[in-house]
Amino acid sequence: MLMSLNRRLSRSWCLMALCLLLVACGGKSGNSKSTQGSPPPGADDEPIAEEASFNTAQGFTVLREPQPRLPLDEPEREFTDADFAAGLPAVKITVPEGLDQSVNQPPYIDNLANVQVVAGEVLEVIYRPQDPEGDIPGMFPNKLPQGSEFADNFDGTKTFRWQPLQMDVGVLQFTVTAVDPVNSAYRSSHPIMIKVVMPKDPATIPNVAPMLDEVLPHTARAGDPVVFELKGIDLNGTIPTLELPDPPAGASFNPHPRFEEVFVLKFTPAEAGEISVPVLARDSVDTSLSSVQNINLTVLAADAFEVPGSALKTLGAARNVQMGFAALQSFYHRPDGGIYAATAVREYDIVTPENSMKMDYINPEPGRYQFAATDNLIAFAQANGMSVHAHPLVWYRQLPGWIESAALADLETHMREYIQRIMGRYADAVSVWDVINEPLESNGQFRDSNPDTGSIWYQAMGPAYIDKALTLARQLDPESSLLINEFDIGMAGAKFDGLMRLVDDLQAREIPLDGIGFQLHVFSSFDQFDELRANFAAVAERGLDIYITELDVALTEGGTPSQQALVYREIAAACLEQPRCRAIQTWGLTDQYSFRTHFDPLPFDRSYQPKSAYEALQSALEP
Ligand code: XIL
């Protein structure tokens, strides 16, 4: 912890020095209006080759960031001392429709208060739910701190018990909800804040055994290399060492080159079977303290991954449509990276980086760039004959803090520089750009200054930010397709109408635009196929290409795989009816890594087996 604090301090000193330098240079121009730029990437941002023992990649060389990690390891706390001092947050009462509150009043909890505790001490609070009508309400907690318990005392009360340690210092909040004894939908949720402070003598805090960070179950293919990035956690804030008491045959096990608490295990399981590897985490202060956890892997024989019928890209090529997916960042650092890559290569001929080209990731600090993940994806795509669909250049979300806090007057400079630097690096490799992502509110108006949904780009430049970005993008990459990408435009309504107004306006003023990206994050209950067809037609009529950019179909409660498949088939069919349908891309490929993973929305399941959704895509593509 101290180490990273030092790094952080030295980095902020560097930044301060840099700012002073920039201020001094800015002063020279004598320009009083602030249009301060940020430094371009330098040689020290150039990725370097990673040793093969850290990844599963085959057919291309994986690069990694050259710099030490960013100080991301100490997440900003959501709550502050001021929040704690402001007292107990407001209770939230949920009243079911039709309930008469003059007859049945909401349940509540006795003697609630925010609590302060010293790290290392055990906190115990008894919560007693009450109901004005006399019965004992039910009660359950939410967002309990890691390592705490909420034990039933079998008399209606429950005891919250927690021994916070160094890692917990700060303010956090959890909620306790009381449930009405008569109507269980009638509830009152009470947020409670806990402030953990350091004791005068830190030596009084007990040293606990470190642990291995949770590893998800995975399925891999026999004969593929497997890597596990194993992370040790110590709630005392120190960094444990990891050891392998019983390593798999032929395994390598090395400390990660950038992350002190991570060790990388690599081996190649030759045959199908269940593999369990014990990992020991050892305390760095008291080496007699340790714990052992097993990591588990299911290995299936290669033929278990064979897929009947033609690959999507083969069927797509015959229909003049590219078939693609969004690639999980650093899939080659995952245990199942081998079968992930093999599935992608077999099925798809266009790929979008799911996260690595977002501004918060690729340009996290002024003058600091993280290119390795995108470089790697491009190397993977090129080694396998895939086109690259870049995403996104200008978006209101996933922005770095330095952009979010930049002066509005500087944002045009930052936007232009950013587009120049990213397109300058990647234009040759990219065939499609999501230049503008999600410019509209659900009412079809521009995202403006709403603190939750607004766009700082709009605040800084008005709608002209769109013209500026598209015009600059065309100058920098005259060959590629430039898109506006948007969600909730698969049906009729104010949002799609607003998008068409925007398109008409851009076209009237000859602002470059080649196509519309339909995200299509939908649900298995989706049935507005006629509206979707009409929207595709409206885009085509305007001489624009149609891209399905982020298709996934979440299984709603009660939804069935066959409904999901039907939605996939109908959406693909609707696009294919249009000669201007250029690509159909899903947002991910396996449910294992979907950003909507709880809804199993993708064509492949967690074991890379094709679902009916996959067969539906095949059947829609068949001539
Ligand atoms: C999502 C990614 O899938 C997540 O991993 C990330 O945490 C948040 O962003 N619309 C978009 C995508 O344009 O960039 C979003 O991707 C999904 C919604």
Side-chain angles (χ1 to χ4, degrees):
M1 206 148 111
L2 269 182
M3 273 281 287
S4 63
L5 194 65
N6 276 337
R7 277 199 204 134
R8 177 178 277 198
L9 283 179
S10 62
R11 174 152 280 273
S12 51
W13 278 112
C14 293
L15 281 179
M16 256 167 76
L18 189 73
C19 290
L20 286 176
L21 201 78
L22 289 174
V23 168
C25 300
K28 259 188 242 160
S29 73
N31 185 351
S32 61
K33 194 176 155 228
S34 166
T35 49
Q36 201 64 78
S38 72
D44 57 349
D45 291 296
E46 269 313 308
I48 58 178
E50 173 176 276
E51 280 173 42
S53 53
F54 294 108
N55 61 68
T56 62
Q58 287 169 319
F60 72 101
T61 304
V62 171
L63 305 178
R64 68 168 175 85
E65 300 304 338
Q67 316 101 330
R69 81 159 83 218
L70 290 167
L72 293 175
D73 43 338
E74 290 166 72
E76 293 286 316
R77 291 260 180 214
E78 212 182 323
F79 301 100
T80 62
D81 285 355
D83 295 325
F84 181 81
L88 208 59
V91 53
K92 192 180 147 226
I93 299 183
T94 315
V95 186
E97 223 172 287
L99 186 131
D100 181 354
Q101 284 196 72
S102 65
V103 180
N104 184 351
Q105 289 173 52
Y108 61 96
I109 298 171
D110 265 353
N111 299 327
L112 287 178
N114 289 345
V115 228
Q116 177 159 325
V117 56
V118 174
E121 289 179 4
V122 177
L123 172 68
E124 272 195 2
V125 185
I126 297 177
Y127 291 106
R128 180 186 304 278
Q130 302 274 24
D131 189 77
E133 283 77 51
D135 290 332
I136 300 180
M139 178 173 61
F140 64 88
N142 231 312
K143 288 202 174 172
L144 278 181
Q146 206 192 350
S148 68
E149 59 174 30
F150 202 72
D152 199 338
N153 302 319
F154 302 103
D155 60 358
T157 70
K158 290 185 180 170
T159 303
F160 170 68
R161 197 173 287 114
W162 187 35
Q163 182 180 36
L165 299 171
Q166 286 92 329
M167 291 290 277
D168 303 303
V169 168
V171 176
L172 61 96
Q173 176 177 298
F174 74 104
T175 57
V176 182
T177 300
V179 181
D180 187 81
V182 178
N183 185 335
S184 66
Y186 191 26
R187 296 166 173 204
S188 54
S189 293
H190 303 263
I192 295 153
M193 294 200 152
I194 306 184
K195 179 171 171 177
V196 182
V197 297
M198 280 298 277
K200 283 208 185 69
D201 177 7
T204 59
I205 304 178
N207 191 2
V208 298
M211 304 168 290
L212 183 70
D213 198 11
E214 194 193 352
V215 178
L216 289 179
H218 288 93
T219 301
R221 183 171 67 170
D224 281 342
V226 168
V227 294
F228 281 95
E229 292 188 331
L230 300 171
K231 182 174 162 195
I233 300 181
D234 188 324
L235 296 176
N236 294 109
T238 57
I239 294 177
T241 315
L242 300 184
E243 298 165 19
L244 287 188
D246 185 15
S252 66
F253 191 57
N254 294 303
H256 193 283
R258 296 182 70 214
F259 308 122
E260 245 181 307
E261 68 279 42
V262 177
F263 286 71
V264 183
L265 165 66
K266 181 173 180 180
F267 62 100
T268 303
E271 288 157 19
E274 297 293 326
I275 295 184
S276 185
V277 184
V279 181
L280 181 144
R282 191 179 295 287
D283 195 90
S284 59
V285 175
D286 175 355
T287 53
S288 70
L289 270 181
S290 65
S291 71
V292 176
Q293 275 101 2
N294 287 327
I295 53 173
N296 301 308
L297 179 72
T298 302
V299 180
L300 301 180
D303 60 12
F305 297 97
E306 280 165 14
V307 175
S310 300
L312 299 180
K313 68 177 179 188
T314 313
L315 295 166
R319 306 289 303 265
N320 213 11
V321 167
Q322 288 191 293
M323 295 300 293
F325 74 113
L328 171 74
Q329 185 164 325
S330 295
F331 58 84
Y332 38 80
H333 289 145
R334 304 289 177 139
D336 49 357
I339 188 61
Y340 186 100
T343 309
V345 168
R346 188 187 65 219
E347 298 294 337
Y348 301 115
D349 56 7
I350 184 165
V351 61
T352 297
E354 182 176 2
N355 282 304
S356 72
M357 290 186 92
K358 291 174 181 171
M359 196 178 190
D360 62 350
Y361 183 79
I362 208 165
N363 187 192
E365 293 174 353
R368 183 163 184 179
Y369 289 79
Q370 305 194 107
F371 292 127
T374 300
D375 288 6
N376 289 336
L377 185 70
I378 289 174
F380 168 75
Q382 289 177 343
N384 295 293
M386 288 182 203
S387 308
V388 177
H389 178 158
H391 165 89
L393 282 174
V394 187
W395 190 23
Y396 75 104
R397 292 185 59 202
Q398 289 185 263
L399 294 170
W402 70 275
I403 284 289
E404 280 183 335
S405 58
L408 286 185
D410 292 342
L411 282 180
E412 181 170 347
T413 304
H414 291 316
M415 183 185 83
R416 287 182 181 279
E417 280 178 351
Y418 180 72
I419 294 175
Q420 266 153 0
R421 288 169 188 164
I422 300 301
M423 291 191 110
R425 187 176 180 94
Y426 294 120
D428 287 347
V430 168
S431 63
V432 184
W433 293 92
D434 290 340
V435 179
I436 306 289
N437 197 30
E438 304 182 349
L440 301 177
E441 296 273 8
S442 52
N443 62 9
Q445 304 296 316
F446 289 108
R447 292 184 184 279
D448 48 33
S449 51
N450 182 313
D452 296 323
T453 60
S455 163
I456 55 167
W457 309 112
Y458 185 92
Q459 286 163 41
M461 291 167 261
Y465 87 88
I466 296 177
D467 311 359
K468 289 174 181 176
L470 285 165
T471 305
L472 180 58
R474 173 68 93 230
Q475 278 165 20
L476 295 166
D477 189 353
E479 304 294 317
S480 301
S481 293
L482 308 181
L483 310 189
I484 296 177
N485 190 45
E486 185 58 273
F487 69 96
D488 280 353
I489 55 167
M491 61 281 215
K495 190 162 189 182
F496 186 74
D497 295 344
L499 180 65
M500 291 302 99
R501 277 197 306 277
L502 169 60
V503 165
D504 291 342
D505 173 56
L506 294 172
Q507 291 189 326
R509 294 182 296 111
E510 296 183 10
I511 305 293
L513 178 69
D514 301 306
I516 296 298
F518 288 76
Q519 290 190 9
L520 300 183
H521 297 289
V522 297
F523 293 88
S524 52
S525 52
F526 182 84
D527 62 0
Q528 289 113 303
F529 302 113
D530 291 343
E531 297 173 14
L532 178 66
R533 284 192 164 82
N535 291 2
F536 284 159
V539 168
E541 272 160 26
R542 287 165 168 83
L544 295 177
D545 288 332
I546 301 162
Y547 288 80
I548 295 181
T549 51
E550 305 187 13
L551 177 59
D552 58 5
V553 183
L555 272 178
T556 35
E557 219 176 286
T560 62
S562 62
Q563 280 165 349
Q564 182 181 51
L566 179 121
V567 175
Y568 266 104
R569 187 169 53 244
E570 287 296 309
I571 288 179
C575 196
L576 290 161
E577 284 164 20
Q578 291 291 342
R580 280 192 171 272
C581 174
R582 292 280 173 263
I584 301 177
Q585 295 185 250
T586 50
W587 199 244
L589 61 86
T590 157
D591 291 334
Q592 175 84 357
Y593 295 124
S594 164
F595 87 127
R596 304 166 93 191
T597 186
H598 301 301
F599 303 100
D600 292 342
L602 288 167
F604 290 92
D605 74 10
R606 283 160 213 276
S607 308
Y608 297 85
Q609 303 301 313
K611 299 165 40 180
S612 358
Y614 171 86
E615 288 157 22
L617 286 174
Q618 278 182 321
S619 86
L621 285 162
E622 242 128 50

